[in-house]
Amino acid sequence: MNTLFESLLSFDGIKAFLQSYYSKLPEGLDTNLVCFGFNEDSRRLSELFKLEFIIDDGRDGQSYNEVPILSREKVPPGMNIINCSHSIYPQTVFNLARELKPANIISYAHFSAFHHFLDAPAFMRDTYNTCSKYHSKIMGVFQSLEDEESKACFSKVMRYRLTGDNCKILVSR
């Protein structure tokens, strides 16, 4: 956590931080673009990009902005999936998307880092601002943790909250 967290203060805003973290977008994201999850981020993407469809099991058969919404079982393989879900279980959502045999899966945060007109997700902006303001207090909490498993879990939660990276949050026993 120290390296990622310490580097946070050297960037002017969450977008610069994300660009440094991810470095670039995967190749081939200009076709077969779909969003996983129906929320404010997927709605914004449907207004700005040509989406084939939005994946949302609870809204199968509906549409938004003339973009069809499909359930997972109707998704063909080879799509480029932008994970717009902000689930508290990011690894679960990533695994569900991976079962669809996509060409690529990237987080909305990763995608937004390289499009100046897209904001990073609100939870990341809030976390970035809180970490910038209370950096020393948060580091104090981290350093007060007594075992490596707790520190690893704390670090992974903070990494997800700052980057949207779908790392495995829970430490296996």
Side-chain angles (χ1 to χ4, degrees):
M1 166 152 146
N2 288 343
T3 305
L4 175 70
F5 201 63
E6 293 298 329
S7 72
L8 176 71
L9 297 179
S10 66
F11 293 96
D12 183 28
I14 187 72
K15 294 284 272 202
F17 176 72
L18 287 172
Q19 287 173 356
S20 171
Y21 183 81
Y22 285 112
S23 75
K24 66 177 185 172
L25 285 172
E27 297 293 324
L29 286 182
D30 52 346
T31 62
N32 297 325
L33 198 59
V34 303
C35 291
F36 193 106
F38 183 71
N39 57 29
E40 68 278 357
D41 296 330
S42 59
R43 289 191 296 270
R44 176 90 169 123
L45 290 177
S46 75
E47 295 165 1
L48 297 170
F49 296 91
K50 183 191 179 307
L51 297 181
E52 300 297 323
F53 50 86
I54 298 169
I55 304 166
D56 189 302
D57 289 342
R59 291 182 172 85
D60 183 39
Q62 297 177 22
S63 66
Y64 178 81
N65 198 29
E66 299 183 18
V67 177
I69 302 174
L70 303 178
S71 60
R72 283 179 289 145
E73 69 262 2
K74 295 180 179 176
V75 176
M79 304 308 286
N80 288 304
I81 296 176
I82 300 172
N83 182 359
C84 291
S85 173
H86 303 307
S87 168
I88 60 171
Y89 302 107
Q91 190 63 40
T92 301
V93 173
F94 177 77
N95 289 341
L96 290 172
R98 191 171 54 197
E99 289 174 5
L100 302 175
K101 298 178 177 46
N104 291 292
I105 306 172
I106 66 167
S107 68
Y108 175 83
H110 184 169
F111 191 76
S112 72
F114 297 94
H115 293 89
H116 67 87
F117 47 84
L118 293 175
D119 285 334
F123 78 91
M124 291 172 53
R125 294 191 311 267
D126 292 345
T127 302
Y128 178 85
N129 293 334
T130 299
C131 289
S132 296
K133 186 174 181 178
Y134 299 106
H135 182 267
S136 61
K137 289 182 180 187
I138 293 170
M139 285 305 296
V141 169
F142 174 75
Q143 291 166 351
S144 73
L145 297 172
E146 294 190 16
D147 61 85
E148 293 305 311
E149 185 175 5
S150 296
K151 288 180 179 182
C153 185
F154 186 87
S155 296
K156 288 179 179 184
V157 168
M158 291 303 294
R159 185 171 97 189
Y160 172 68
R161 297 285 307 171
L162 287 166
T163 66
D165 189 352
N166 59 355
C167 60
K168 289 188 177 181
I169 300 286
L170 299 178
V171 178
S172 60
R173 295 184 183 256

